[in-house]
Amino acid sequence: MGLKYRTFLDGPKIYGCFQCKTHLATDDAFLSARFQGQHGQAILFSSVVNVVAGEAKERTMTTGVHVVQDISCCRCKTVLGWTYVKAFDHENKYKEGKFILEKALLS
């Protein structure tokens, strides 16, 4: 097992892990704040860094059934949200490959 390096982001607004402040995303990756997570409001991002994806699971959400993977901070292992692997509904296909981070878990 080798060393794990974290990516450090640069920009006017950096989203980080609430627990350990590890960088996760920049404002350039921000897509929408009109999402709901398990802890309240959530944000949709086009890309994130310094996360580890869990096992893909089918999950029923407010917009239908999706295959998702929970994503955790690579440093402190806090579950921060999920990534969309597959959307079964045509109207939700745009979410595939995107990431949800819960606002309550961001700094």
Side-chain angles (χ1 to χ4, degrees):
M1 194 159 134
L3 292 173
K4 293 183 182 179
Y5 293 96
R6 287 180 286 148
T7 302
F8 291 89
L9 301 172
D10 188 29
K13 187 167 186 178
I14 306 291
Y15 296 89
C17 173
F18 174 79
Q19 197 72 19
C20 68
K21 309 301 186 242
T22 294
H23 290 185
L24 301 170
T26 63
D27 219 22
D28 293 339
F30 179 96
L31 295 175
S32 175
R34 298 182 56 142
F35 283 81
Q36 191 68 25
Q38 294 175 331
H39 303 287
Q41 290 184 319
I43 302 171
L44 182 69
F45 289 93
S46 59
S47 62
V48 296
V49 296
N50 299 322
V51 296
V52 177
E55 183 182 332
K57 298 178 183 176
E58 218 173 80
R59 192 177 293 164
T60 302
M61 303 177 131
T62 56
T63 57
V65 178
H66 302 277
V67 176
V68 297
Q69 292 175 289
D70 286 337
I71 53 175
S72 304
C73 175
C74 71
R75 183 170 182 212
C76 69
K77 307 300 184 231
T78 300
V79 177
L80 301 166
W82 63 88
T83 182
Y84 289 99
V85 177
K86 181 173 176 63
F88 295 102
D89 181 3
H90 180 69
E91 291 179 12
N92 291 301
K93 288 285 187 190
Y94 75 95
K95 296 176 186 175
E96 290 179 357
K98 306 293 189 304
F99 301 85
I100 290 287
L101 295 177
E102 303 227 21
K103 273 184 155 181
L105 303 175
L106 297 177
S107 64

